[in-house]
Amino acid sequence: MKEIKKKKSKPDPQILIPVIVGAVCVLMVAAVIIFMTREAYKKEIDRLQKKLELGDKYLESGDYEKAELAFQEALKIDEKSPDATIKLADTYNKMKKPEKALKMLEQTNKNLENMSVAQLNSNPDGWKSKMDMYETVYKQTEQLYQNSGNQMPADTDTSEDVINIFNDIHIYINDYVTPTPKPSEKPGKKEDK
């Protein structure tokens, strides 16, 4: 019996060319979308940072109403920004409005609990300062409540609860985000090859 050899068929150029062109077009569109999305994200981060800086300037100069507006605008850009909520709480404390400050601190708590990995990984060095600022603002809020003869609501998370969340973030960043430095070669010693 003769073996029947199957001919290897070559792809038809009339089909192959449009498929290749289509694939290249899809890849180009995907690249453009990714680039545009990253650029839009960078612009939003820049807008947020500018509002936070503006709020900081107003807060330092004692113009609390303008600081409040700037931090509220920052929250409109990123409603989960711990910087904006903590700084707005600080502003409310300076305005002697501890109830509003407490609401912002509670918003910070919720935001921290629901934070995405991308948010955690952003600005790893800044989390310790956020934790310190939160603790300071929380203590100021407690003090304002005490000075007015009131007690903070019983269902309020304690400062320690939230500091533990910050500590977990700090541990996560140190263990998973920050690369371990490689040991350096001692000066004057060379390895034999």
Side-chain angles (χ1 to χ4, degrees):
M1 263 186 146
K2 288 185 177 179
E3 280 187 36
I4 301 175
K5 289 186 178 179
K6 291 185 179 179
K7 287 185 178 180
K8 290 185 178 180
S9 62
K10 292 184 180 178
D12 185 7
Q14 291 179 350
I15 295 174
L16 189 60
I17 291 173
V19 168
I20 292 172
V21 169
V24 168
C25 288
V26 167
L27 289 174
M28 287 176 62
V29 167
V32 167
I33 290 172
I34 290 170
F35 177 76
M36 290 175 67
T37 303
R38 287 181 63 196
E39 288 301 310
Y41 178 72
K42 286 179 186 178
K43 285 181 182 177
E44 287 299 300
I45 298 255
D46 289 344
R47 281 184 52 224
L48 174 65
Q49 194 58 40
K50 285 179 184 176
K51 291 296 179 185
L52 291 172
E53 289 170 4
L54 182 63
D56 286 339
K57 286 179 185 177
Y58 287 134
L59 192 58
E60 287 174 20
S61 71
D63 194 344
Y64 304 133
E65 288 79 19
K66 287 183 180 178
E68 176 185 17
L69 290 174
F71 293 135
Q72 286 174 343
E73 288 175 11
L75 279 175
K76 287 178 185 174
I77 296 168
D78 180 3
E79 64 186 19
K80 295 187 179 196
S81 168
D83 292 312
T85 54
I86 294 170
K87 290 177 181 195
L88 191 52
D90 188 29
T91 303
Y92 287 136
N93 279 341
K94 292 194 175 26
M95 296 170 82
K96 308 291 187 231
K97 297 179 180 181
E99 298 82 15
K100 285 188 170 191
L102 187 58
K103 285 182 182 178
M104 284 298 103
L105 292 172
E106 289 172 347
Q107 184 63 43
T108 304
N109 304 353
K110 289 176 191 169
N111 291 347
L112 289 173
E113 291 171 357
N114 300 314
M115 195 158 288
S116 71
V117 173
Q119 288 172 307
L120 288 173
N121 294 343
S122 68
N123 190 11
D125 297 330
W127 285 103
K128 174 75 172 110
S129 63
K130 285 178 183 46
M131 179 176 73
D132 293 342
M133 185 173 183
Y134 179 92
E135 189 170 25
T136 300
V137 172
Y138 188 94
K139 287 178 180 177
Q140 289 170 350
T141 306
E142 267 183 330
Q143 189 63 46
L144 285 169
Y145 267 97
Q146 289 173 356
N147 291 348
S148 68
N150 296 321
Q151 293 294 320
M152 289 179 70
D155 62 344
T156 302
D157 289 334
T158 65
S159 174
E160 292 81 25
D161 294 336
V162 182
I163 295 303
N164 287 334
I165 295 171
F166 274 109
N167 281 326
D168 291 344
I169 291 169
H170 191 67
I171 290 167
Y172 164 80
I173 288 170
N174 285 336
D175 290 350
Y176 300 105
V177 177
T178 308
T180 306
K182 295 179 182 177
S184 61
E185 202 176 291
K186 291 184 180 180
K189 290 189 175 184
K190 293 184 180 178
E191 291 184 27
D192 295 333
K193 290 187 180 183

